[in-house]
Amino acid sequence: MRIIENTYGSDDNGLVWGYRFAPDRPAEPIATDAVAAFLAQAQDDGSFLWLHFALSNQGSERYLRRALALPDAFHDSLRSEVGATRLELDDDALVAVIHDVLFDSSFDASEVGTTSLCIGPRLVVSARLRPLRSVDRLRADIRAGQAFRSPVELLAHLLRDQANVLGDILRTSTAQVDRIEDRLLASQVSTDRKALGALRRTLVRLQRLLAPEPAALFRLLNRPPAWISAEDVIDLRQAAEEFSTVIADSAALVERVKLIQEELAALVNEQTSRTLFVLTVVTVLALPVNLVAGLFGMNVGGIPLAGHAHGFATVVTVLVLLTAVLAWFSFRPRGD
């Protein structure tokens, strides 16, 4: 039997990796040529498979349609655009579409990918176009020897990993917001407005993509399929609650960013008002000088004080007095 190597490449059928789970034993790698024999077995010993496919390999969809009896909802989800998270029952199988940031993304939530899953009593099939962080974390735990009793427990663990990935993003975002807030307290506001806007858009997009997931899980938990055990329902409920907590933290951080943006806008408006006030005062104070200079610079006959011995001193004195009066009006204390 040909064993899948631990690599992000895929075989001719698009399989990135496959694992066989059995009670109280670590997972064993499995290849596509052994899947049919496993599914043909009628025994119910608690074992199941997880097959993870790369949609970038054209052979993956052909294999999924040819070798595995999967519901139409799963096939339809493979080419769907990134939208809201879905979780539904189809032909007694659980079909899920979850979103996550890409494996090689350095905190850029615009880099969002999709994983489609089909979960049944003995089989978990997942497919993605590009590697995602939460799926890779789950695989790392399996390679470290973690065992799973059922496909639903595997799904619950994946949801927790997804919540942890979002939690890491929130911690990074919170640290960035803390630094911006510290600079705001020091009145350094010129370089942070764009960063705050980008951060807020990122968090809002993550909420829009991930927020429906807990609600969909809770709807499923109210009326689970017969093959999902009570213990699995508890695991799913706990995963949904953890995810709801992370989503709530994300919403709180978005509100905090919004408040900082409003304070930044108020500071910028205040600085703009001060600048306009200074320009207005300078213009008013220079008005007498400009007016007199314009009148006396016309070089026409009849200019006052043109032949007076103290004409220049008189004009300067008048200008100084007018400027002083205007300055007093501009800077005088104003009552409420």
Side-chain angles (χ1 to χ4, degrees):
M1 181 178 68
R2 182 168 53 90
I3 300 299
I4 302 298
E5 297 294 336
N6 290 329
T7 175
Y8 283 114
S10 56
D11 65 5
D12 295 338
N13 295 316
L15 183 68
V16 183
W17 64 73
Y19 289 103
R20 175 176 178 172
F21 298 86
D24 302 324
R25 287 192 307 186
E28 300 176 354
I30 188 172
T32 51
D33 52 11
V35 172
F38 173 85
L39 296 178
Q41 297 175 357
Q43 61 183 7
D44 188 10
D45 58 353
S47 60
F48 67 95
L49 302 181
W50 178 27
L51 307 178
H52 186 63
F53 292 87
L55 295 177
S56 56
N57 188 327
Q58 296 181 355
S60 59
E61 290 192 56
R62 292 195 297 267
Y63 176 82
L64 290 172
R65 292 185 180 274
R66 181 184 72 250
L68 302 177
L70 302 175
D72 293 336
F74 174 76
H75 293 290
D76 294 339
S77 69
L78 297 180
R79 295 301 175 183
S80 61
E81 297 181 355
V82 176
T85 296
R86 288 169 32 213
L87 190 64
E88 59 189 6
L89 284 172
D90 191 337
D91 293 338
D92 205 36
L94 183 61
V95 177
V97 178
I98 63 175
H99 307 291
D100 193 8
V101 293
L102 298 182
F103 174 76
D104 56 354
S105 173
S106 57
F107 178 56
D108 182 0
S110 61
E111 303 266 343
V112 175
T114 300
T115 299
S116 299
L117 296 105
C118 183
I119 300 134
R122 301 185 63 203
L123 180 65
V124 177
V125 176
S126 59
R128 50 75 176 165
L129 186 62
R130 292 178 289 179
L132 304 179
R133 290 189 188 181
S134 57
V135 177
D136 187 79
R137 285 189 176 188
L138 177 57
R139 183 199 183 199
D141 292 338
I142 293 173
R143 293 173 61 186
Q146 183 167 350
F148 295 93
R149 68 175 181 274
S150 69
V152 176
E153 186 186 15
L154 185 73
L155 173 63
H157 194 285
L158 176 61
L159 295 178
R160 290 192 184 96
D161 287 337
Q162 191 181 13
N164 291 334
V165 169
L166 181 57
D168 292 341
I169 292 177
L170 289 179
R171 282 189 288 272
T172 303
S173 302
T174 301
Q176 184 177 356
V177 172
D178 289 341
R179 291 191 295 269
I180 292 176
E181 197 170 30
D182 290 340
R183 290 196 292 269
L184 175 62
L185 295 176
S187 299
Q188 299 176 3
V189 300
S190 58
T191 61
D192 296 326
R193 298 178 66 190
K194 291 183 179 180
L196 275 177
L199 182 60
R200 183 180 176 186
R201 288 191 297 271
T202 293
L203 294 174
V204 169
R205 185 164 190 257
L206 280 177
Q207 284 186 40
R208 186 175 69 251
L209 293 177
L210 300 179
E213 190 162 31
L217 269 175
F218 285 128
R219 287 195 300 269
L220 172 67
L221 293 174
N222 291 331
R223 301 182 64 180
W227 54 270
I228 297 182
S229 66
E231 194 172 1
D232 288 336
V233 171
I234 293 175
D235 284 341
L236 277 179
R237 180 173 287 109
Q238 290 176 348
E241 291 173 352
E242 291 179 13
F243 219 115
S244 297
T245 301
V246 176
I247 293 296
D249 293 340
S250 177
L253 184 58
V254 169
E255 289 299 319
R256 181 183 174 193
V257 172
K258 182 179 178 181
L259 291 175
I260 294 177
Q261 284 182 310
E262 292 175 353
E263 188 170 354
L264 277 172
L267 286 176
V268 170
N269 290 335
E270 184 179 353
Q271 291 180 353
T272 302
S273 298
R274 289 177 180 175
T275 302
L276 291 176
F277 175 75
V278 172
L279 291 176
T280 302
V281 169
V282 171
T283 302
V284 170
L285 295 180
L287 180 60
V289 176
N290 293 330
L291 181 61
V292 172
L295 292 175
F296 280 78
M298 292 187 295
N299 294 324
V300 296
I303 294 179
L305 305 176
H308 198 279
H310 302 288
F312 178 77
T314 302
V315 171
V316 170
T317 303
V318 171
L319 290 177
V320 170
L321 290 175
L322 287 175
T323 303
V325 171
L326 291 175
W328 180 81
F329 272 107
S330 299
F331 295 103
R332 77 182 189 279
R334 292 175 176 83
D336 296 336

